[in-house]
Amino acid sequence: MPHAVLSTLYFMAFSHALLLTVILWRRAPSGSPARLLAIAMALLAYKLLEGGAVHSQLYRYMPHLLDLLPNMVMVLGPVLYAYVRRMTGQRAFTTGNWVLHLLPAFAVWLLSAPDVFRSGDAKIAMWAALQQDQAPGGISMLLTIKLVAMKVHLASYLALAWRRLDAFAPALDQLRADNSRNVLQRLRQLMIAFILLEALWVGLFLVQQTTGLITLGTVGQAWLLFLSAIVVLIALQGLQKPDFLITEEERALTGAPAPPAADPAAPETEAGATIKYLHSALPDTAAAEVAALIEQRLEEDALYLDEGLSLTKLAKAIGHKSHTVSQVINQHMKSNFYRLINSYRIQYALTLIEDPKRHWSLERIAIESGFTNRVTFNKAFKEQLDCTPSQYRAERRATSGQA
């Protein structure tokens, strides 16, 4: 691909990443998970700036601003993992935690320090050689080991992040009935994108090392192009709701432990996947009373129409502990919070769809029924009725026409 085209694509992706970094950082309060996402975007922006500068010849005028983070992925991994942890209800890393997680990146950076601080002429010569696709053969064993170790390091953090998402997904249905499922799905898609990005690099690197058919410059170009696509997709998606806003009470319900502040070097434990019912043998009569109260408040006060309704909010509304309410919904009512609330919302939506005096759009019906958007509404509707709202409305109209 022509260098002018590559530099344009890289600079476009860089502008998206930089803009998203600024927006996330300025809008998010201190300590927010969104600020971790902003840091990750800043790291990606820097690599894209390097790519744009190299392919546009700007490296000749700013050699000392480039190649300052040759091991960027070793910083990116811990930042992404910390972001996923916060989004799934665990507390922020302590300073000690950060030191431990970033220590390998710092060690590798020190090993690379002679290259980082070499002369501007030497850097210009290096970038010129890469741009001209010179030396398609192999590289030194030491550099190969370092590159592979960096990729393994990132892969381990992506695996940890994926494990956290899998562990949290079942608990989420016990806590929320909003679009948090969609946010979790977007997080999974983000992790998949980074996994594919690294798989692409490894595959092309092996081809380069074993066959010599391509150069390291080609490997880097493909990696940056894929990275550009990830950045643009994140910018287009906007990663709405970059914070789950998991409360302390919800964190306790999921069994998510906080890292001990007094011993940051202590090993981390994985949060439980479901709400724990410890020492809570609730009598059937008491459970039935709580269940009846839940149904009464939902029906009489239409609490389900609140798109932000959560388990903790429902518990406060009926005057019981969240733990007790969750236990009753799961063990006595044979459901979970997500399915229970959405069943009420779907029934309300059906009355709106079937009302001949209302000619509302399905988007409006979704919002009026307590759903955050049409996508969430469609998914919940199909889960319960095995068809989409539009299919149901069409069948109703067809039946009414025949009658």
Side-chain angles (χ1 to χ4, degrees), residues 70-222:
N71 60 329
M72 181 274 291
V73 294
M74 296 188 73
V75 180
L76 181 65
V79 171
L80 286 175
Y81 177 52
Y83 172 62
V84 169
R85 279 174 50 92
R86 292 296 314 282
M87 289 288 282
T88 53
Q90 293 195 321
R91 290 180 180 172
F93 281 157
T94 63
T95 301
N97 292 140
W98 277 116
V99 168
L100 289 176
H101 284 283
L102 295 178
L103 189 59
F106 183 66
V108 172
W109 186 86
L110 285 178
L111 291 175
S112 306
D115 293 331
V116 172
F117 295 109
R118 61 184 147 179
S119 68
D121 290 339
K123 284 189 174 184
I124 291 173
M126 178 195 70
W127 291 115
L130 287 176
Q131 188 181 25
Q132 295 169 11
D133 282 343
Q134 294 178 1
I139 57 177
S140 69
M141 181 60 66
L142 180 61
L143 181 56
T144 299
I145 293 174
K146 187 173 78 170
L147 290 173
V148 171
M150 288 163 54
K151 298 303 179 180
V152 170
H153 182 270
L154 176 59
S156 66
Y157 276 100
L158 292 176
L160 287 172
W162 188 266
R163 185 181 175 191
R164 272 295 317 142
L165 292 172
D166 270 353
F168 186 71
L172 189 60
D173 283 351
Q174 311 283 1
L175 299 172
R176 301 289 182 88
D178 54 10
N179 70 332
S180 295
R181 265 187 171 190
N182 294 340
V183 178
L184 194 68
Q185 183 62 27
R186 285 196 290 270
L187 278 174
R188 280 180 164 155
Q189 291 170 355
L190 182 62
M191 293 303 110
I192 290 173
F194 278 109
I195 291 170
L196 292 177
L197 174 68
E198 295 313 300
L200 172 69
W201 185 93
V202 171
L204 292 178
F205 181 74
L206 289 175
V207 171
Q208 189 273 331
Q209 289 294 292
T210 56
T211 68
L213 296 176
I214 58 177
T215 65
L216 280 176
T218 304
V219 176
Q221 288 174 12

Side-chain angles (χ1 to χ4, degrees), residues 48 52 61 79 95 126 144 190-191 212 229 236 266 274 279 289 292 310 312 319 370 375 383 389-390:
L48 290 166
Y61 307 101
V79 171
T95 301
M126 178 195 70
T144 299
L190 182 62
M191 293 303 110
L236 291 176
T274 57
H279 312 293
E289 290 176 1
S310 64
T312 53
V375 174
E383 284 178 355
S390 56

Side-chain angles (χ1 to χ4, degrees), residues 325-395:
V325 174
S326 176
Q327 183 177 2
V328 169
I329 292 174
N330 282 266
Q331 298 180 351
H332 186 80
M333 303 176 77
K334 306 301 181 185
S335 185
N336 63 38
F337 182 77
Y338 176 86
R339 289 198 302 269
L340 175 67
I341 301 305
N342 281 342
S343 66
Y344 279 91
R345 289 172 174 169
I346 295 299
Q347 288 303 313
Y348 184 79
L350 289 176
T351 63
L352 298 179
I353 293 175
E354 296 169 1
D355 188 347
K357 297 181 180 180
R358 298 182 192 272
H359 302 285
W360 291 352
S361 67
L362 291 176
E363 285 80 6
R364 180 175 179 182
I365 290 175
I367 299 301
E368 295 287 344
S369 301
F371 292 97
T372 53
N373 53 57
R374 172 78 178 272
V375 174
T376 308
F377 175 46
N378 284 351
K379 188 172 183 180
F381 199 99
K382 192 165 187 178
E383 284 178 355
Q384 295 198 25
L385 299 179
D386 202 27
C387 66
T388 64
S390 56
Q391 290 171 339
Y392 181 85
R393 170 177 270 180
E395 291 174 3

